[in-house]
Amino acid sequence: MIGRLTLSDFRNHADALIVPDHAFILLTGENGAGKTNILEAVSMLAPGRGLRGAALRDMAKQDGMGGFGIAAEVDGVMLGTGIVADTPDRRQVRIGGVASSANALADHLSIMWLTPAMDRLFMDSPGGRRRFLDRLTLALHPSHAAHSARYEAAMRARNRLLGDLRNADPLWLDALEAQMEEHGAALAAGRTDLITRLNTLLVDQSDAPFARPSLALQTEEESHDSLARRLSRERRRDAAAGRTLSGPHRQDLAVTHVAKGQAAALCSTGEQKALLLSILLVHAALVAASRGQPPVLLLDEVAAHLDPLRRSALFDRLRGMGAQVWMTGTESALFQDIDAATRLSITAGQLFRSAS
């Protein structure tokens, strides 16, 4: 769990210090006060671009010095990340005071989030669902981020060479395609393992008060060829398309509402949110069992969209798994069923402790 969080020139927070004394950290305030910015800062303690997927330079305070810093104490280890004004697109990470890679953060902390922007996850592009799936996988397999980065780097290099296929070095293409096969196999295996384990737990879940989902990994047609052989054979096609058309970067996450036997994309908005919550809660339990500690959960404006029964049930589930949960809401009344909590009200980037 995060024992101490400090921000410097991040979004609308010139400086902020949060020292949680309970598992629930409740952030309340008007729209635009900076609640979600706190959650985004926490999400930057994981590999990737955070819960908004924003450019690094956009996270720096507009009237600040051009950089930002985020630091947290996790089990006695200091994790830090940020940028400096001179290189606003280069993320810096320090773990225990030593320069490190963003991917190494996954060894110390697993973080998952649910935001209003994810309400259309099942309706949007496969890329959005794939990123969601990879965040789930990363919490169980910390090396997943490194495999993803190396696969993407090899694919980008291959695509550049295919832009001038006639003059491309075939041996260099062979090497890149071998890298894509190696890291692509690890990506696919991690995703498959996650989905298998989630479905095993979901079988025992009831449909109330949240809908019960079933997950599947949609992939290309099975081929007896290795990925490297297929990529080699498809160079001309990919050169004409301007991109690589085969590989695990084309996989998609399919979710079904079990009780209705209906694809999530065809369900109502409320049902889709319930399916997402079910996945998140079961995933948190799986991570807790696998890593000995549940992930840190960031729930942005989730309580406001639940009726009192489901809201109370959600709080009970969260309390039972012992996760550290950061939640936002415009009204403190949304959290009246939570007794022990660190409660903070936010006004224009300023944090204030509140008793209720």
Side-chain angles (χ1 to χ4, degrees):
M1 294 189 182
I2 295 172
R4 179 186 180 94
L5 177 73
T6 59
L7 311 183
S8 175
D9 279 348
F10 184 82
R11 295 290 190 181
N12 69 329
H13 297 278
D15 60 79
L17 169 63
I18 300 176
V19 183
D21 48 13
H22 294 285
F24 285 92
I25 299 93
L26 309 178
L27 309 170
T28 58
E30 297 180 352
N31 293 329
K35 304 183 300 296
T36 304
N37 293 341
I38 298 291
L39 300 193
E40 183 181 28
V42 176
S43 73
M44 291 301 295
L45 297 170
R49 295 169 58 188
L51 60 79
R52 284 191 174 108
L56 290 169
R57 62 173 65 220
D58 293 339
M59 300 179 193
K61 196 171 187 294
Q62 290 187 357
D63 57 353
M65 300 298 291
F68 71 81
I70 303 165
E73 181 184 351
V74 179
D75 294 332
V77 178
M78 291 302 301
L79 310 180
T81 188
I83 61 172
V84 296
D86 292 342
T87 53
D89 297 314
R90 180 184 175 189
R91 183 178 180 185
Q92 300 185 10
V93 174
R94 300 186 74 84
I95 299 176
V98 178
S100 187
S101 69
N103 290 338
L105 292 168
D107 294 326
H108 297 269
L109 198 61
S110 57
I111 304 174
M112 286 304 303
W113 54 82
L114 196 57
T115 71
M118 295 170 63
D119 286 352
R120 292 187 55 81
L121 181 72
F122 302 122
M123 307 291 292
D124 286 340
S125 68
R129 289 186 292 276
R130 196 162 47 246
R131 286 189 292 274
F132 173 69
L133 176 61
D134 283 339
R135 285 198 300 274
L136 296 177
T137 305
L138 177 63
L140 284 181
H141 303 284
S143 63
H144 192 74
H147 286 301
S148 179
R150 290 166 185 162
Y151 177 89
E152 294 287 341
M155 182 170 64
R156 285 194 300 269
R158 177 180 184 270
N159 289 343
R160 284 194 297 270
L161 287 178
L162 293 180
D164 185 14
L165 182 58
R166 182 175 298 180
N167 297 314
D169 182 350
L171 293 179
W172 183 228
L173 281 170
D174 287 344
L176 291 171
E177 288 160 357
Q179 289 180 42
M180 290 178 65
E181 178 176 9
E182 176 188 353
H183 298 294
L187 287 179
R191 293 167 180 167
T192 299
D193 175 65
L194 169 78
I195 287 177
T196 299
R197 294 165 73 179
L198 284 177
N199 280 334
T200 299
L201 292 179
L202 285 165
V203 166
D204 297 326
Q205 300 293 308
S206 66
D207 290 314
F210 304 111
R212 180 161 62 95
S214 175
L215 285 67
L217 187 63
Q218 290 186 337
T219 188
E220 302 162 310
E221 293 183 5
E222 292 294 330
S223 172
H224 296 296
D225 283 345
S226 68
L227 178 59
R229 288 198 191 96
R230 204 175 347 147
L231 291 172
S232 178
R233 188 175 64 246
E234 295 172 352
R235 288 174 185 173
R236 290 188 180 277
R237 184 193 70 171
D238 292 350
R243 63 189 189 279
T244 300
L245 298 175
S246 294
H249 66 286
R250 306 278 290 180
Q251 291 178 323
D252 194 2
L253 173 65
V255 176
T256 301
H257 188 311
V258 172
K260 300 182 70 172
Q262 189 175 64
L266 302 177
C267 295
S268 69
T269 301
E271 288 172 329
Q272 290 180 10
K273 183 176 284 291
L275 290 168
L276 271 174
L277 274 171
S278 291
I279 294 171
L280 194 71
L281 292 170
V282 172
H283 176 264
L286 178 59
V287 172
S290 299
R291 296 185 59 156
Q293 178 70 38
V296 172
L297 299 179
L298 311 176
L299 305 180
D300 191 19
E301 300 289 352
V302 169
H305 300 284
L306 297 174
D307 59 52
L309 176 64
R310 287 179 173 80
R311 191 160 60 232
S312 180
L314 173 63
F315 296 160
D316 285 344
R317 288 277 295 274
L318 294 171
R319 194 180 293 111
M321 69 178 59
Q324 186 179 57
V325 185
W326 299 64
M327 303 182 72
T328 67
T330 54
E331 302 174 7
S332 59
L334 293 169
F335 307 119
Q336 62 183 2
D337 291 338
I338 301 176
D339 295 326
T342 299
R343 300 174 185 269
L344 299 167
S345 61
I346 303 178
T347 303
Q350 297 293 314
L351 277 63
F352 305 93
R353 281 264 184 173
S354 55
S356 60

